[in-house]
Amino acid sequence: MSRIAYVNGRYLPHRQAVVHIEDRGYQFADGVYEVIAVERGRLVDEEPHLERLARSLGELRIASPMPEDALKAVMREVLRRNRVRDGTIYLQLTRGVAPRDHPFPPASETAVVMTAKRSRPQSPRVAEDGVRVITVPDNRWGRCDIKSVSLLPNVLAKQRAREAGAYEAWFVDASGHVTEGSSTNAWIVTAEGKLVTRPASHAILNGITRQRAIKLARASGLALEERPFTVPEAKAAREAFLTSTTSHVLAITEIDGTVIGNGKAGSFATELRRSYLDFSRGAGPEA
Ligand code: PLP
């Protein structure tokens, strides 16, 4: 079965799904995106994802291409045509097509592309064993809160992680504090059992999974502090983990070669992962 993409009003097989060479997303990375998980046919945290999309568009002054109801209808149609019940949907919106020139074009229509793909559940082994991260200097721009398609530093960081045999790269700011991963948010658990994650600011993408994990942690009475932490603090932490739409909650068992805790997924990460999966599969309190 050929995968079907939505491209500016049309549903097309991937091999015919093309965008204009003067699309500003292609030429300037002048666009934004979202990735939303689909579990058992349900879009996980759809509303917060669409709110963040609207915010990203607003920050870049890119016009909304259609009312939210229409966007939701297209998303469902893309999932239906691709027969995706468990997987992800990708939305990319750019400032549209115009002769190449840096300032905003006087008139352009927001271009919209959507694709969907199935995914298999992550192996429980990965969750139990945890993953390795490396640290890299944060060399990104000052508006990491906008979910922009301009991801070159993230791509390079992830590639460095892969080449080092690691799952993720954590960006570290000029003062030695971890900002976030190349495509995930960063967390630690202190010796006293307090969850720590960097507060939302222009320095990080405020992950929807991060926000959900904060709510779930608070609901189960866990102590939580939103503050920056350093690499040495993370290496000495009781646990470390990461969150994202596709990784859910995933334990980290090594940072730059230093083993965290006993080298296995810790109880906090395991418990939070379980409540996140329950939530996303529809068994959670807000399903
Ligand atoms: N931080 C960055 C830089 C990301 O690219 C992502 C996801 O793509 C995240 C964090 C996690 O965000 P979410 O939980 O919304 O997937």
Side-chain angles (χ1 to χ4, degrees):
M1 189 189 92
S2 152
R3 285 175 65 201
I4 303 295
Y6 173 87
V7 187
N8 297 321
R10 300 204 296 160
Y11 296 92
L12 298 164
H14 273 214
R15 80 192 105 78
Q16 289 164 31
V18 291
V19 291
H20 197 284
I21 57 164
E22 287 194 311
D23 188 295
R24 289 177 63 94
Y26 175 59
Q27 292 189 325
F28 295 114
D30 190 0
V32 300
Y33 74 106
E34 277 296 327
V35 180
I36 309 177
V38 186
E39 292 271 357
R40 299 177 181 172
R42 195 176 76 99
L43 285 145
V44 180
D45 269 330
E46 179 180 20
E47 295 302 329
H49 276 284
L50 293 181
E51 275 165 32
R52 185 173 65 184
L53 178 65
R55 180 179 181 278
S56 295
L57 288 171
E59 291 298 311
L60 298 183
R61 293 195 279 147
I62 296 176
S64 170
M66 60 182 97
E68 194 176 283
D69 281 358
L71 200 68
K72 285 181 174 174
V74 175
M75 281 162 56
R76 277 154 184 78
E77 186 59 15
V78 171
L79 292 175
R80 193 187 68 76
R81 288 187 188 231
N82 289 283
R83 298 193 205 141
V84 173
R85 272 184 57 77
D86 293 287
T88 49
I89 184 156
Y90 176 80
L91 289 75
Q92 178 170 314
L93 285 70
T94 74
R95 204 181 303 277
V97 176
R100 189 181 182 283
D101 195 12
H102 286 64
F104 297 172
S108 70
E109 258 180 53
T110 303
V112 185
V113 168
M114 283 188 215
T115 56
K117 70 175 179 204
R118 293 180 195 164
S119 59
R120 278 191 236 110
Q122 221 168 28
S123 112
R125 197 54 206 280
V126 178
E128 284 159 25
D129 290 350
V131 294
R132 287 194 278 244
V133 304
I134 58 163
T135 59
V136 296
D138 197 340
N139 54 2
R140 299 174 300 163
W141 73 325
R143 290 304 307 271
C144 297
D145 56 309
I146 300 171
K147 200 162 169 64
S148 143
V149 293
S150 171
L151 288 172
L152 201 44
N154 309 58
V155 166
L156 296 176
K158 189 74 97 188
Q159 182 60 22
R160 272 183 65 180
R162 286 292 179 275
E163 286 170 7
Y167 182 86
E168 179 60 301
W170 272 4
F171 287 119
V172 180
D173 68 16
S175 64
H177 293 92
V178 174
T179 47
E180 62 181 330
S182 68
S183 64
T184 58
N185 288 112
W187 299 66
I188 57 168
V189 182
T190 65
E192 301 74 41
K194 188 183 273 185
L195 271 53
V196 180
T197 193
R198 190 166 176 129
S201 71
H202 288 179
I204 66 164
L205 182 77
N206 190 3
I208 303 301
T209 321
R210 172 192 178 279
Q211 295 172 50
R212 177 58 59 191
I214 289 175
K215 283 191 189 135
L216 292 169
R218 291 215 165 108
S220 41
L222 296 178
L224 187 144
E225 199 178 349
E226 290 183 70
R227 65 159 172 85
F229 57 84
T230 63
V231 176
E233 188 182 3
K235 287 183 178 171
R238 176 163 163 177
E239 291 184 30
F241 61 92
L242 54 83
T243 55
S244 82
T245 295
T246 51
S247 296
H248 314 302
V249 176
L250 192 54
I252 292 168
T253 42
E254 225 182 273
I255 301 172
D256 286 337
T258 300
V259 173
I260 310 303
N262 66 0
K264 285 276 178 192
S267 58
F268 286 86
T270 304
E271 191 48 37
L272 197 55
R273 179 180 174 84
R274 204 188 48 75
S275 46
Y276 182 77
L277 293 180
D278 282 351
F279 162 78
S280 66
R281 288 172 187 156
E286 292 185 36

